[in-house]
């Protein structure tokens, strides 16, 4: 039986306000609250709320046969709690159906897997905790930022206890092989992989409302018939896309919601099922391993990471923020740790992209994005160095903090022993009286 695995990415960054050179050292608040709220509420109204209603209807009408997976970045989850709690409630309602799976990713939708393994592990743990606090689950399937994957990343993911991972079905990696199977990491064959089917994913994400497309209009029966008519051995169709495809990138007027509502009906007629990533990993053995020595992603024709780290502006910003990562992890200041996370979001680096025009950027050009980010980062670095001066190297600083921590624990233990002794001494005196 052929099986469709729908996965949707949900992410929103905390966008930065216009931060001038003269703000450095004088103002420590970096975010454009008005823009963040306006964008999030608009997307919630156009996408999250109506799409969740549609999926809930589909699950009910299909008697639980329709299933879908989500990954919600930590920054998107935070904004949902602040700006649209009704959207968060609707995701909780979906979770209760048992037909929805939530995946783990980096908390800030960051590029940590490309630069700092310790930061990557910390963000993943933080995201697992966030999913547990919101939905009462601890995901066992991982999806990295923008499906970024490499052999080295797969090793990190496997060692963190995940049984499977989602990534891109890039042609330069697969060659003649089809993406419509379960694969495994070449370094850890126990880590199973689902690879995105580009054709069927992009038919919905990019071509659905394109009047010049020779298959326009795309109907549910036509779409399912394409999947059903693929070669017999191919049995897993991983359809990965941004959730904003439903209602935002493809507006309600295009018929995208009606299209989705009809999918389960036509799928049942063609003996096509729907499954969650964890269900597919449990049911299927890998047909082969894939080797990815250099990181790939699901973005642009190249399917690499050049959209975030392809020019000297991006590389300099990424180098600069990674230089202070060790000191930030030693810091216990809540505001510094929070700002650190928000500055990690890959969007800040994407806005510096010079490859093509970025319609989602809040800046006029990539150079404005770079200057604004570096101004913010300069102030942030000053705040970190105010706590941990750069004149003290990381190793010495770590040693001093460890000594202070050990002394604090020893003092706390002695205080408990003293309190216990005074309590016992008081009882002895009372008996003597």
């Amino acid at each position: 039986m052929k099986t469709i695995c729908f996965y949707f990415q949900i992410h929103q960054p905390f966008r930065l306000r216009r931060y001038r050179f003269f703000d450095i050292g004088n103002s420590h608040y970096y975010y454009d609250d008005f823009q963040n709220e306006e964008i999030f509420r608009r997307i919630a109204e156009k996408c999250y709320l109506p799409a969740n209603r549609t999926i809930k209807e589909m699950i009910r009408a299909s008697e639980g046969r329709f299933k879908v997976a989500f990954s919600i970045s930590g920054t998107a989850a935070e904004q949902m709690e602040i700006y649209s709690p009704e959207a968060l409630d609707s995701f909780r309602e979906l979770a209760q159906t048992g037909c929805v799976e939530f995946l783990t990713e980096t908390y800030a939708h960051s590029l940590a897997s490309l630069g700092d393994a310790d930061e990557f592990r910390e963000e993943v743990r933080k995201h697992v905790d966030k999913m547990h606090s919101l939905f009462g689950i601890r995901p066992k399937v991982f999806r990295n930022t923008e499906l970024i994957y490499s052999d080295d990343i797969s090793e990190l993911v496997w060692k963190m206890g995940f049984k499977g991972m989602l990534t891109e079905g890039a042609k330069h990696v697969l060659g003649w092989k089809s993406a419509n199977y379960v694969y495994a990491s070449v370094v850890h064959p126990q880590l199973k992989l689902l690879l995105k089917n580009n054709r069927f994913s992009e038919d919905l994400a990019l071509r659905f409302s394109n009047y010049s497309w020779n298959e326009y209009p795309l109907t549910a029966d036509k779409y399912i018939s394409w999947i059903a008519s693929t070669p017999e051995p191919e049995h897993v169709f991983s359809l990965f896309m941004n959730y904003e495809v439903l209602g935002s990138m493809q507006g309600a007027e295009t018929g995208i919601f009606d299209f989705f509502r009809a999918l389960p009906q036509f799928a049942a007629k063609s003996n096509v099922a729907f499954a969650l990533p964890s269900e597919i990993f449990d049911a299927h053995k890998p047909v082969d391993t894939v080797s990815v020595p250099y990181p790939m992603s699901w973005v642009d024709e190249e399917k690499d990471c050049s959209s975030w780290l392809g020019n000297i502006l991006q590389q300099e910003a990424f180098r600069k923020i990674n230089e202070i990562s060790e000191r930030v992890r030693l810091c216990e200041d809540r505001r510094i740790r929070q700002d650190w996370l928000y500055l990690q979001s890959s969007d800040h680096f994407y806005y510096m992209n010079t490859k093509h025009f970025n319609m989602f950027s809040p800046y006029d050009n990539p150079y404005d994005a770079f200057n604004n980010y570096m101004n913010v980062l300069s102030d942030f670095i000053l705040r970190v160095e105010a706590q941990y001066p750069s004149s003290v190297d990381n190793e010495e600083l770590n040693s001093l903090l460890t000594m202070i921590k050990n002394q604090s624990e020893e003092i706390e233990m002695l205080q408990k022993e003293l309190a216990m002794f005074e309590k016992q001494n008081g009882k002895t005196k009372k008996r003597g009286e």
Side-chain angles (χ1 to χ4, degrees):
M1 176 182 283
K2 295 185 184 297
T3 303
I4 294 173
C5 177
F6 269 115
Y7 153 75
F8 294 105
Q9 167 182 291
I10 299 170
H11 167 63
Q12 290 296 323
F14 281 91
R15 295 165 188 83
L16 304 175
R17 69 178 179 88
R18 296 296 170 140
Y19 194 88
R20 312 297 180 187
F21 175 80
F22 296 104
D23 290 326
I24 299 172
N26 297 313
S27 174
H28 305 316
Y29 192 77
Y30 309 137
Y31 313 105
D32 189 333
D33 292 333
F34 176 82
Q35 187 182 48
N36 288 324
E37 179 174 3
E38 189 276 327
I39 291 174
F40 198 92
R41 287 187 180 277
R42 172 160 43 87
I43 293 173
E45 289 298 321
K46 293 177 70 175
C47 171
Y48 303 155
L49 291 168
N52 284 359
R53 284 194 296 268
T54 300
I55 288 175
K56 190 176 179 181
E57 291 170 15
M58 293 167 68
I59 291 170
R60 185 174 62 248
S62 67
E63 297 180 340
R65 288 188 297 274
F66 183 75
K67 298 178 180 182
V68 64
F70 297 100
S71 70
I72 306 175
S73 71
T75 54
E78 286 188 28
Q79 291 188 56
M80 212 174 288
E81 290 174 303
I82 299 168
Y83 303 132
S84 185
E86 64 275 22
L88 182 57
D89 288 341
S90 70
F91 278 106
R92 288 192 174 114
E93 289 174 9
L94 286 180
Q96 291 168 3
T97 65
C99 297
V100 169
E101 180 172 10
F102 292 94
L103 313 183
T104 283
E105 66 158 286
T106 52
Y107 189 94
H109 200 73
S110 76
L111 302 174
S113 62
L114 301 176
D116 190 330
D118 289 333
E119 176 63 23
F120 176 74
R121 285 187 284 263
E122 180 65 26
E123 282 198 44
V124 173
R125 282 191 288 266
K126 188 175 178 63
H127 190 270
V128 169
D129 291 342
K130 188 67 174 180
M131 292 300 100
H132 185 259
S133 70
L134 293 178
F135 305 112
I137 52 97
R138 291 190 179 277
K140 286 299 179 183
V141 177
F142 185 76
R143 194 245 26 168
N144 199 16
T145 303
E146 306 296 332
L147 296 189
I148 292 172
Y149 177 87
S150 71
D151 295 337
D152 291 341
I153 294 170
S154 75
E155 184 164 13
L156 290 172
V157 172
W158 169 251
K159 287 181 177 178
M160 293 194 72
F162 293 96
K163 67 179 180 181
M165 184 172 176
L166 276 54
T167 188
E168 171 65 31
K171 290 181 181 178
H172 72 271
V173 169
L174 286 175
W176 58 269
K177 298 175 186 176
S178 168
N180 303 330
Y181 296 95
V182 174
Y183 288 90
S185 161
V186 73
V187 255
H188 280 290
Q190 303 95 324
L191 181 71
K192 297 180 180 180
L193 304 174
L194 277 180
L195 309 184
K196 175 190 164 194
N197 181 299
N198 276 290
R199 175 200 163 184
F200 292 127
S201 297
E202 292 174 6
D203 282 348
L204 301 183
L206 303 179
R207 294 183 279 271
F208 183 80
S209 59
N210 184 357
Y211 293 98
S212 62
W213 183 32
N214 63 347
E215 295 292 349
Y216 181 88
L218 180 61
T219 59
D221 57 338
K222 183 195 293 186
Y223 189 72
I224 292 295
S225 71
W226 289 346
I227 292 175
S229 63
T230 54
E232 187 56 38
E234 299 183 6
H235 49 263
V236 177
F237 298 84
S238 301
L239 310 182
F240 304 162
M241 60 201 80
N242 281 300
Y243 202 30
E244 291 163 42
V245 166
L246 277 68
S248 186
M249 295 168 69
Q250 307 290 350
E253 70 280 0
T254 66
I256 190 70
F257 292 119
D258 294 330
F259 171 88
F260 263 81
R261 286 190 189 95
L263 283 176
Q265 174 189 347
F266 289 104
K269 289 180 180 178
S270 299
N271 199 31
V272 175
F274 298 92
L276 303 172
S278 59
E279 293 176 335
I280 293 175
F281 290 139
D282 288 340
H284 297 281
K285 292 182 179 179
V287 296
D288 200 357
T289 59
V290 290
S291 177
V292 187
Y294 304 103
M296 66 175 177
S297 76
W298 69 349
V299 173
D300 295 338
E301 287 293 322
E302 299 87 351
K303 305 299 181 185
D304 59 12
C305 298
S306 59
S307 287
W308 302 279
L309 298 175
N311 64 46
I312 58 174
L313 303 178
Q314 296 165 315
Q315 293 159 12
E316 173 62 14
F318 192 60
R319 182 191 66 80
K320 200 71 176 175
I321 195 169
N322 279 313
E323 278 183 353
I324 58 166
S325 61
E326 193 170 343
R327 286 172 183 270
V328 173
R329 279 192 291 275
L330 295 172
C331 181
E332 295 184 0
D333 186 300
R334 185 185 64 82
R335 284 293 304 277
I336 285 180
R337 295 301 295 267
Q338 183 183 57
D339 289 338
W340 167 255
L341 269 178
Y342 295 169
L343 291 174
Q344 291 287 322
S345 291
S346 60
D347 308 71
H348 304 308
F349 302 92
Y350 193 71
Y351 299 149
M352 302 174 201
N353 189 348
T354 53
K355 290 170 61 179
H356 47 65
F357 174 71
N358 184 352
M359 61 185 294
F360 300 108
S361 175
Y363 303 97
D364 294 331
N365 56 65
Y367 306 99
D368 283 351
F370 173 76
N371 288 331
N372 202 67
Y373 184 80
M374 294 305 283
N375 284 344
V376 169
L377 188 57
S378 296
D379 182 80
F380 180 76
I381 291 172
L382 288 177
R383 290 166 59 200
V384 174
E385 290 187 347
Q387 295 203 18
Y388 304 120
S390 55
S391 56
V392 183
D393 64 40
N394 287 338
E395 188 174 342
E396 184 181 354
L397 180 59
N398 198 16
S399 176
L400 287 170
L401 290 174
T402 301
M403 185 187 302
I404 292 169
K405 182 182 178 184
N406 291 340
Q407 288 176 344
S408 297
E409 290 174 354
E410 187 176 350
I411 290 169
E412 186 179 353
M413 184 181 66
L414 290 171
Q415 286 175 336
K416 286 180 181 178
E417 290 178 359
L418 179 61
M420 190 180 297
F421 173 78
E422 288 176 344
K423 187 176 180 181
Q424 290 174 347
N425 194 39
K427 288 180 180 178
T428 304
K429 284 183 178 178
K430 281 186 178 180
R431 284 197 296 269
E433 291 172 358

